Amino acid sequence: MRVEYMTKLLRIAVVLALSVGAAKAATTTIDFNTDPSVSGVYTEPANSAASWRPDGGASGAAGDGYLSLADAKGSQRSVLVFKDFENGLVIKSFSFECDLRIGGGTTPPADGFSLNYASADDPVITGGAFAGSTTEADLPEEGTQTGLAIGFDTWQSGDATDRRAAGGAAEDVAGITVSVDNTLLAQFPLPLQPGNIYLPSDPPPGSQGTKYTYNRDANVNLSTNVPNYNFTMQTGALSSHDLNGDGVVDASDAATPQPDDITDPTWGYWIENLRWEHFKAEIDESGKVKITWKGIELTPPGGLQTTFTPRAGRIVFGGRTGGSWEATHVDNIKLTTAAFTSAFVSALRGNAAGFTVEIADQGTSVLDQSSVGLKLNGNTVTPTAITKVGSTNYVRYLSPTLLTSGQTNAVDISFKDAFGIASTATRTFIPAAFVTVPPEYAATGVDTSGSGFNVKVSQISVGRTPGDGNTIANAERQIANGFIDPTTGLPYANLADPVTSVDPDVINWNQDAGDGTTDIGDFKFPDHQDEPLPGVPPGDQNNIVDEITAYLDLPAGVYTFGVNSDDGFKVSTARSANDVNGLTLGSFNTGRGSSDTLFDVNVPTAGIYPVRLLWWEGGGERTSSSSWLILLQEPRFS
């Protein structure tokens, strides 16, 4: 278990966006009629090579080859890391399309593949791990750990907290997923139909009502001539042959793997009923993603808005099978990229106080700060401040009155670089609802000569009950010594060192903290290397509750707080830092894997305010977990 808690009042932060400026486009096609491994178009990390076949491709003509990410057998893995097509420039937009032949495997089939635009330092690029779930690691079908990931995931795994998701966690379903920086934004579950979207904010399957439809078993391995075929992930039915040699063609044949030798006369039986279908994925300058499968666009009209921000990176295509399987064959890849050729808008974020635009220099193209122009909802506004850190320019506008929560705001940006190259962009943001802190909560008599946190730690030998042990109520009960040992009639003994004063700058804890290679969450080596949980003995690190209190010196403004936790948390304020009945600013009231929750807080009057973070860990997690608090500020004028 791990906790990260950052006190710095960060006045600038990245949350979302894309683009601007002139762009050039590059198109690469791979027909697989010759061995692609010698072309230099992509590399394959060790033990992740796909199999090239000189015949059997989409056209059916002799000499039309294809690439096998996986055949219909278990324990395969293929990864293609495409070269930098833009010679170091940041990609503005791209599209990826190919023909796919999928199926002929187990019932249900597994596992799938993903298309990714990964950050330049993503582990996969150097042969490391893909993202995973809360119960499994390194799953190519889930996508890379950084950047944009579109997963074609044919296997359902886990439970309602299986995927780290925006605002919490979500159940993994068979379907197409869209994630950014290892945070799930949306799933398109079976049956694959336009408008059938499962968002992390929606109830899990079985409780979703009319929010979306999910029916895996009725939509796998269907024949190409049945009505629901277009809504499936496979491209045909299972084999019509007796694959296991028992003299009967029945369901048990699906458990027989395809021969390793492609010259085996029976090898083609597994894919005999499959045909080739077209897949296309695009991301445009506004960060919207479009996904088309079997000629049907699945994403909403205009695309699915994501939080992807442009960055140096590489396109990665990878897939696998595990204990279950199906064939995944690829042909006719067409990859088109467009890059920024001058300074560009790299992000925009906003809340009720205003917004911040980030404009990144690129090479010798440096922003002329005096040229920046802004419009908010069609009205010209003057930047409040323009600052620069490294190669990024931060253009801030602070509204004289708070903007309306839930209302879409359009920001038009214009600027020139030092060479006079003009660029424009339009971005939108929607201020979230916020909690207002009463001015009377401001503390007096606070010793401001130092800084730091007080931490109260509780660990007991039993799980919290009744019901869900990861609720706020159960966590509050534990930190108050409210769980009674029936054998003694006294509170369960605290296995931890109960009270600790900690680092004055950053709390960044991890039950698996080591040399930095096991770091998780958003604060990592080398900037903020994970540290062990204080006060908790080695070994079993379950059934923990931490109460972290501090005083924050806050100018008037609207702040975005973010907590990444496994399992739950509550952030509150009151006249006293230890008041359990204080005003809740944000919370996650159940268990989950390491996931983010953001919430906005309005501080109308400057002051020093007590803040309490209650964080807890349940039991039974396989992986490390994290919780952190970061303060993002958009101060406004009083």
Side-chain angles (χ1 to χ4, degrees), residues 40-46 48 78-85 116 118-120 122-128 130 144 313-318 335:
V41 172
Y42 62 80
T43 58
E44 298 170 303
S48 298
S78 300
V79 181
L80 314 182
V81 179
F82 288 90
K83 72 176 185 179
D84 180 1
F85 296 110
N116 310 270
S119 300
D122 190 273
V124 169
I125 293 175
T126 55
F130 282 84
T144 51
R314 303 285 284 278
I315 294 172
V316 177
F317 191 50
L335 180 57

Side-chain angles (χ1 to χ4, degrees), residues 501-516:
S501 295
V502 298
D503 192 298
D505 293 320
V506 177
I507 294 178
N508 185 28
W509 303 335
N510 181 352
Q511 69 180 22
D512 293 330
D515 60 1

Side-chain angles (χ1 to χ4, degrees), residues 37 47 156 426 485 612:
S37 65
N47 302 315
Q156 176 183 341
T426 298
D485 185 341
R612 177 178 184 257

Side-chain angles (χ1 to χ4, degrees), residues 515-553:
D515 60 1
T517 60
T518 59
D519 284 8
I520 58 173
D522 294 78
F523 303 147
K524 300 179 181 179
F525 176 86
D527 297 323
H528 298 291
Q529 183 170 328
D530 292 354
E531 298 175 356
L533 288 173
V536 179
D540 182 11
Q541 296 193 338
N542 293 319
N543 308 316
I544 301 168
V545 179
D546 283 1
E547 178 188 65
I548 304 168
T549 57
Y551 288 88
L552 302 181
D553 190 353

Side-chain angles (χ1 to χ4, degrees), residues 456-460 464-466 468-484 491 543-549 568-574 576-590 611-617:
K456 180 180 178 181
V457 183
S458 170
Q459 183 183 25
I460 57 178
R464 296 180 290 269
T465 57
D468 182 356
N470 285 315
T471 62
I472 293 171
N474 275 323
E476 291 283 16
R477 182 180 174 187
Q478 179 175 332
I479 203 69
N481 295 320
F483 286 99
I484 304 301
N543 308 316
I544 301 168
V545 179
D546 283 1
E547 178 188 65
I548 304 168
T549 57
F569 78 91
K570 182 182 80 169
V571 175
S572 59
T573 185
S576 167
N578 298 103
D579 189 344
V580 300
N581 296 313
L583 175 67
T584 297
L585 304 179
S587 65
F588 191 80
N589 191 28
T590 187
V611 175
R612 177 178 184 257
L613 168 63
L614 189 73
W615 161 82
W616 56 91
E617 154 83 329

Side-chain angles (χ1 to χ4, degrees), residues 88-377:
L89 297 176
V90 174
I91 286 181
K92 176 181 184 178
S93 61
F94 75 86
S95 68
F96 179 99
E97 51 190 307
C98 65
D99 295 321
L100 292 168
R101 180 169 61 193
I102 301 173
T106 52
T107 304
D111 278 285
F113 65 87
S114 66
L115 169 67
N116 310 270
Y117 182 80
S119 300
D121 59 352
D122 190 273
V124 169
I125 293 175
T126 55
F130 282 84
S133 68
T134 58
T135 55
E136 294 181 274
D138 191 17
L139 304 177
E141 69 274 17
E142 306 290 7
T144 51
Q145 297 185 44
T146 64
L148 172 69
I150 299 172
F152 200 94
D153 183 1
T154 62
W155 178 265
Q156 176 183 341
S157 60
D159 55 23
T161 62
D162 190 62
R163 291 295 308 277
R164 170 177 170 167
E171 181 170 333
D172 179 82
V173 298
I176 296 176
T177 63
V178 177
S179 303
V180 172
D181 293 329
N182 199 18
T183 297
L184 182 69
L185 301 183
Q187 297 184 85
F188 298 85
L190 290 172
L192 298 176
Q193 295 174 297
N196 191 30
I197 304 176
Y198 168 26
L199 300 174
S201 57
D202 293 334
S207 306
Q208 79 272 26
T210 60
K211 288 274 188 179
Y212 59 90
T213 300
Y214 181 53
N215 189 336
R216 180 195 64 181
D217 293 343
N219 293 281
V220 296
N221 297 325
L222 298 185
S223 173
T224 59
N225 60 3
V226 301
N228 271 20
Y229 166 74
N230 282 339
F231 309 146
T232 67
M233 305 181 79
Q234 289 74 38
T235 63
L238 297 175
S239 175
S240 306
H241 281 80
D242 174 20
L243 302 181
N244 60 10
D246 65 357
V248 180
V249 177
D250 59 17
S252 66
D253 292 309
T256 303
Q258 198 170 19
D260 293 334
D261 183 1
I262 64 171
T263 66
D264 186 306
T266 69
W267 188 91
Y269 292 167
W270 276 257
I271 59 173
E272 64 183 345
N273 292 326
L274 306 181
R275 70 185 188 192
W276 293 88
E277 294 283 3
H278 201 65
F279 170 79
K280 185 175 183 179
E282 309 165 79
I283 183 166
D284 69 11
E285 298 180 26
S286 68
K288 290 182 178 178
V289 169
K290 294 182 180 180
I291 300 171
T292 302
W293 173 234
K294 297 182 180 178
I296 301 172
E297 186 174 329
L298 301 173
T299 40
L304 174 74
Q305 184 66 62
T306 75
T307 55
F308 179 74
T309 57
R311 65 197 74 184
R314 303 285 284 278
I315 294 172
V316 177
F317 191 50
R320 73 161 188 128
T321 62
S324 297
W325 56 78
E326 65 185 343
T328 301
H329 298 161
V330 185
D331 198 2
N332 300 319
I333 289 177
K334 181 180 179 181
L335 180 57
T336 302
T337 59
F340 298 107
T341 56
S342 60
F344 61 94
V345 172
S346 60
L348 181 146
R349 70 170 179 85
N351 60 24
F355 60 85
T356 296
V357 180
E358 297 185 13
I359 302 176
D361 298 338
Q362 184 163 217
T364 58
S365 177
V366 177
L367 175 68
D368 175 2
Q369 293 188 353
S370 67
S371 71
V372 175
L374 298 175
K375 288 185 178 181
L376 176 61
N377 299 323

